[in-house]
Amino acid sequence: MNAIILAVLIMVTLSLLRVSVVFALIAAAIIGGLYAGLPAGEIVTAFNDGLGGGAPVALAYATLGAFAVMLSRSGITQRLSTRIIDTFQGSAQTQSHARMVTWGLFASLILAGFASGTIIPVHIAFIPILVPPLLVIMNHLQLDRRAVACAITFSITVMYMTTPIGFGTIFLNDILMGNINEAGQALDFQIGRDAPPKAMIIPALGMVLGLVIAIFISYRKKRRYEDRPIDGQAENKQQPAKLKAWQLGVIIAALVVALVIQLWSGSMIFGGLAGFALLSFSGIVRWDEQDGVFTQGMRLMAMVGFIMIAAAGFAGVMKATGEIPDLVQSSVALIGDSRALAALVMLLVGLFITMGIGSSFATIPIIAAIYVPMCLSFGFSALATTALVGTAAALGDAGSPASDSTLGPTAGLDADHQHDHIWDTVVPTFLHFNIPLIAFGWLAAMTL
C-alpha cells in the first residue's frame, strides 16, 4: 500500500473513532513516514519544518476568537437573538414564523459565506462572530446543525471554485491556471483565464445538489439541543446592560476597522487585533478583565489552531516521503486505455491527497505537474483537463478533518459544546459534497 493512502486511512479511522484529530494527524504522519522508509529523525525534521506553515493561520484564528468574545460581551448579538425569538411568542403564525426564520438563517449564512470569499474576503473569520449568537435561535427552531454545517461549508467552498473574485482569483487564476500552464509549457499546452470558471461549473453543480439533499432530505427532521451557555457569554440569563449610543458607535467602528485593516494588510491577525483594541476602549469589559477575555477567545479557537498546525506538519511528512508521484503513477497500471477509468482514478487520488493535506489550494501544485501530462496522453480537452485538476484538488477540502472548510463551521456551531467536529461536520460534508463532486467532476471530464 502506498504510504500516503495508509497515512490518510489511519488519520480518518482514528478521527471517526473520536480520537483527537491532532493526535490522529501526528500518529498518521509517524506511521506513514516509517512505512515509506524515512528514518525517525527525518520524520521529526519534516514534521517540524511543516509546522511553521500552520502557525500564522492558528494565530489568526486565536485573535479572531478574542475579537468574537469581546463582541459577545457587548450583548449586541444576544439582543438580536432575543428579538427574533420574541416573534414566535404563542400566536397562530408560529409555524409560518418558524419557517420564515429558518430559511432566513440559511440564506443569511450562505450569503455571508459567499461574501466572505469574494467582495469581503475574510474567509471563515465571520463564523465565530456570527454563528454562536444564533445557536439559541437554532435550538428554539430545533434545527439540525448538520444541515447548517453543510450550508456554511458549501458557501465558503463553491465560490472560490467558480468565481474569480477574492479567494477565487487566487484559486482559479493564480493556482489552477498558473500550475496547469507551468506543467503544460513543455508540452505546448496552455489555457486562458476564461477556462477555469467554465470548467468548474459542472463540478460546482454537484455541490448544489449535495446542499439540496442535506437540507431537504438528510437533515430536514427536527433535532433537539439544550440551551447551554455560549463560550464567551455570561453564565447568567440576565439581559446585558443597555449600550450607550457612543458604545454602539465604537462596536460598529471596530467591525469596520477590523475589515479594513485585514484588507489593507492581508492579515487576519492584524485585523482581529485592531478590532479587539478598539473595542477595549468602549468600556464593555473592564480593563482588568480584558486579559481574561483575550485568553477565553483564544480557547474558543484553540482546536482550529492546533489542528491546522498539526495538519501542516502532516503535509510536510507526506511530501517528504516522495510517494505522491508514485501514488499517481502506480494507479496508471489500473487504468489501461480507458478515459472514463482514468478520470475516476485521478479524482480518487486527488481525494486522498487533499484529505491528508486539508487544503485544495496546496494540493494543485502537487498534482498539476503529474495530471496535466496524463490528461493529454488520454486525449482530454483543455476544459476537461482543467476540470479534472480543479475537482481533484477541491475533493476532500469539504470533508477533511483538517480543512478550514470544516473547522470553521465547527468553531461556530460547537460554541455550546453540542456539535461534534467529525460526526456533525466532517462526515455530513464528506457525504453530501465529495460524492457529488466525484460524480459531476467525472461528468465534466467526459463531456467538456
Side-chain angles (χ1 to χ4, degrees), residues 378-389:
F378 280 99
F380 287 108
S381 68
L383 285 179
T385 300
T386 306
L388 272 174
V389 176

Side-chain angles (χ1 to χ4, degrees), residues 6 40 89 96 102 111 115 201 229 238 252 266 295 297 359 385 396 398 427 429:
L6 176 64
Q89 297 305 319
S96 61
T102 297
L111 289 175
I201 288 177
Q238 296 178 359
I252 296 174
T295 303
S359 170
T385 300
V427 172
T429 55

Side-chain angles (χ1 to χ4, degrees), residues 88-111:
F88 296 123
Q89 297 305 319
S91 67
Q93 296 180 325
T94 298
Q95 291 300 323
S96 61
H97 275 261
R99 284 194 295 270
M100 179 184 68
V101 174
T102 297
W103 297 121
L105 277 174
F106 277 120
S108 299
L109 291 173
I110 291 173
L111 289 175

Side-chain angles (χ1 to χ4, degrees), residues 407-424:
L407 289 167
T410 298
L413 294 169
D414 192 42
D416 62 354
H417 310 291
Q418 296 186 84
H419 184 88
D420 183 74
H421 177 56
I422 299 299
W423 290 103
D424 292 335

Side-chain angles (χ1 to χ4, degrees), residues 99-383:
R99 284 194 295 270
M100 179 184 68
V101 174
T102 297
W103 297 121
L105 277 174
F106 277 120
S108 299
L109 291 173
I110 291 173
L111 289 175
F114 286 169
S116 72
T118 52
I119 58 175
I120 309 176
V122 296
H123 196 33
I124 67 170
F126 76 97
I127 298 175
I129 296 173
L130 180 62
V131 174
L134 299 177
L135 294 181
V136 177
I137 302 171
M138 296 180 195
N139 294 347
H140 190 90
L141 295 169
Q142 297 181 3
L143 188 62
D144 196 325
R145 296 184 192 179
R146 292 174 294 182
V148 180
C150 289
I152 297 175
T153 298
F154 167 83
S155 68
I156 60 181
T157 304
V158 75
M159 291 305 287
Y160 77 69
M161 287 175 54
T162 57
T163 308
I165 303 174
F167 289 106
T169 301
I170 299 173
F171 180 80
L172 294 172
N173 295 338
D174 299 346
I175 298 180
L176 182 55
M177 184 187 73
N179 282 275
I180 288 177
N181 286 341
E182 183 179 348
Q185 190 170 6
L187 304 170
D188 196 25
F189 175 79
Q190 300 285 288
I191 61 172
R193 288 181 177 270
D194 61 330
K198 291 180 181 178
M200 296 303 291
I201 288 177
I202 294 179
L205 291 176
M207 293 199 66
V208 174
L209 175 62
L211 179 66
V212 171
I213 293 173
I215 293 177
F216 290 98
I217 300 176
S218 302
Y219 307 122
R220 65 182 178 84
K221 294 182 179 179
K222 295 184 180 298
R223 194 179 190 190
R224 294 184 179 274
Y225 296 89
E226 300 176 9
D227 285 331
R228 297 181 183 177
I230 306 297
D231 284 348
Q233 295 182 6
E235 295 284 340
N236 57 58
K237 301 287 185 178
Q238 296 178 359
Q239 184 74 7
K242 187 176 181 179
L243 293 173
K244 298 177 181 178
W246 70 271
Q247 289 178 315
L248 185 59
V250 170
I251 292 173
I252 296 174
L255 291 169
V256 174
V257 166
L259 173 61
V260 171
I261 293 295
Q262 193 230 322
L263 295 177
W264 170 73
S265 66
S267 170
M268 288 190 293
I269 298 174
F270 294 128
L273 286 176
F276 184 91
L278 188 54
L279 279 178
S280 67
F281 293 103
S282 68
I284 294 170
V285 177
R286 289 169 45 187
W287 190 262
D288 58 354
E289 294 177 350
Q290 291 190 20
D291 181 60
V293 170
F294 196 90
T295 303
Q296 188 177 18
M298 294 182 68
R299 286 202 304 267
L300 175 66
M301 300 296 286
M303 183 192 73
V304 176
F306 281 113
I307 290 176
M308 295 298 287
I309 291 174
F314 177 89
V317 176
M318 293 303 98
K319 293 175 184 177
T321 64
E323 294 209 8
I324 293 178
D326 293 341
L327 173 60
V328 179
Q329 296 300 329
S330 62
S331 64
V332 173
L334 303 174
I335 296 173
D337 296 326
S338 172
R339 291 176 72 247
L341 186 57
L344 180 61
V345 169
M346 281 190 274
L347 290 171
L348 292 176
V349 170
L351 171 64
F352 272 95
I353 295 174
T354 313
M355 282 283 288
I357 294 176
S359 170
S360 56
F361 287 69
T363 300
I364 288 179
I366 297 174
I367 65 174
I370 309 168
Y371 276 29
V372 170
M374 284 183 61
C375 288
L376 295 180
S377 68
F378 280 99
F380 287 108
S381 68
L383 285 179

